[in-house]
Amino acid sequence: MIEGARWRKWVFFYVPMALFLLFLLFPFYWMVITSVRPDGELYRPWNSINYNPFWTWKPTWDHVRYLFEETLFASWLWNTTFIALASTAISLVCGVFAGYALARLNFPFAGSLGTAIFITYLVPQTLLFIPLAEIIRNYRLGDTPWSLILTYPTFLIPFCTWIMMGYFKAVPKELEECARIDGASRWQAMLYIVIPVAIPGILSAGIFAFTLSWNEFIYALVFLSSPEQKTVPVGVTSELIRGDVFYWGPLMAGALLGSIPVAIAYSFFVEHYVAGLTGSVKG
């Protein structure tokens, strides 16, 4: 905390913090206010006398109602939730076991293998989707949720493995050694001792994986074509932008509703999320 005269706190802490929050939250405020403004205000010329882009005195739910009655937004929301949860579960299971093996088991080139796994995460999706599209076509998985559930782990598993490998290294080996001395097998020591201690890291990796799956766009755009199979990011942008016509009210309402699940996930697990990133161990 800044000590000294009161003006120093205002100049070096409160004012910069307020400007930062204003800069950070303004896009969300703009999204909310656009979602509830009537079309008459949204498309009013900027040089009109009563033009007011930052506030509305006549909020309306017409844009939200349009989403659920005139589009397949409910189906997009369900598709996104199912695909994100399934791909996150697969990636977490693989990432936890791979991270434990790389961090705890002694075998040659374990460190190099961990680095190589993380490097695969850095390969751009714009390059990966070309061979993956061929695989999806050969197995006839195109335009189904499984085309995304099976391809998202290609970039989620390396990321989860890297996070869990670092977190397992932070867990004291003495805990596992005590369990082994008491007669536990390696599997039991991992299941009942190491993994419960690593819950913050698992939650952190899970939140990251869920967020990446929820917001992913390129694979969903390439592998899904039917309107009823689309996810929220692809459905909102492809069905609510027609040529050069932007339906700003429904667009912002869809973006707002689509961001709520991720915000809820972060708000519930923010403490575990921070602990997982810093690698701290409690208890």
Side-chain angles (χ1 to χ4, degrees):
M1 192 65 182
I2 299 175
E3 299 180 352
R6 192 171 183 177
W7 66 269
R8 291 174 61 89
K9 296 181 181 178
W10 280 96
V11 171
F12 295 108
F13 182 75
Y14 293 120
V15 173
M17 179 63 72
L19 293 176
F20 174 74
L21 289 177
L22 180 66
F23 178 77
L24 183 69
L25 297 178
F26 182 78
F28 297 96
Y29 170 76
W30 185 263
M31 192 163 57
V32 172
I33 202 67
T34 306
S35 302
V36 297
R37 294 181 69 192
D39 285 336
E41 293 185 10
L42 280 177
Y43 302 107
R44 184 175 294 164
W46 65 270
N47 54 357
S48 299
I49 297 176
N50 54 354
Y51 179 71
N52 185 9
F54 303 110
W55 188 249
T56 178
W57 295 105
K58 298 178 181 178
T60 177
W61 294 107
D62 287 348
H63 303 310
V64 177
R65 196 176 300 115
Y66 178 88
L67 275 179
F68 286 97
E69 294 180 355
E70 303 296 330
T71 70
L72 297 171
F73 186 78
S75 298
W76 303 338
L77 207 56
W78 163 251
N79 294 337
T80 308
T81 304
F82 175 65
I83 292 169
L85 289 177
S87 56
T88 298
I90 295 172
S91 303
L92 268 185
V93 171
C94 297
V96 167
F97 287 123
Y100 178 85
L102 292 171
R104 292 293 191 177
L105 303 183
N106 294 321
F107 59 91
F109 308 110
S112 302
L113 184 59
T115 304
I117 289 175
F118 182 70
I119 289 176
T120 60
Y121 174 72
L122 303 179
V123 177
Q125 295 181 25
T126 50
L127 295 179
L128 278 178
F129 89 89
I130 298 174
L132 287 176
E134 182 70 15
I135 296 173
I136 294 298
R137 187 181 65 83
N138 291 338
Y139 285 94
R140 300 180 179 179
L141 295 174
D143 203 24
T144 67
W146 297 104
S147 62
L148 300 183
I149 292 173
L150 297 178
T151 53
Y152 282 177
T154 57
F155 61 88
L156 294 180
I157 289 177
F159 183 76
C160 292
T161 301
W162 183 258
I163 284 187
M164 293 313 303
M165 186 174 65
Y167 204 88
F168 282 133
K169 286 181 178 178
V171 177
K173 290 185 177 179
E174 289 78 8
L175 294 175
E176 192 174 2
E177 290 173 353
C178 289
R180 298 293 301 275
I181 292 174
D182 290 339
S185 63
R186 179 174 290 278
W187 170 261
Q188 290 173 326
M190 180 191 71
L191 192 62
Y192 297 112
I193 302 297
V194 178
I195 288 183
V197 175
I199 288 296
I202 296 174
L203 286 176
S204 177
I207 291 175
F208 250 123
F210 180 79
T211 305
L212 291 174
S213 303
W214 188 274
N215 295 325
E216 202 284 330
F217 185 80
I218 294 177
Y219 289 173
L221 179 66
V222 173
F223 298 146
L224 301 178
S225 56
S226 303
E228 60 272 13
Q229 297 290 346
K230 292 181 178 178
T231 58
V232 170
V234 175
V236 168
T237 53
S238 62
E239 301 296 327
L240 298 176
I241 301 176
R242 299 169 187 171
D244 57 350
V245 178
F246 290 73
Y247 294 83
W248 285 116
L251 270 173
M252 291 295 105
L256 178 66
L257 294 177
S259 62
I260 288 177
V262 177
I264 292 175
Y266 274 88
S267 63
F268 273 106
F269 302 109
V270 61
E271 293 182 359
H272 296 297
Y273 175 71
V274 174
L277 288 182
T278 55
S280 63
V281 180
K282 299 180 180 179

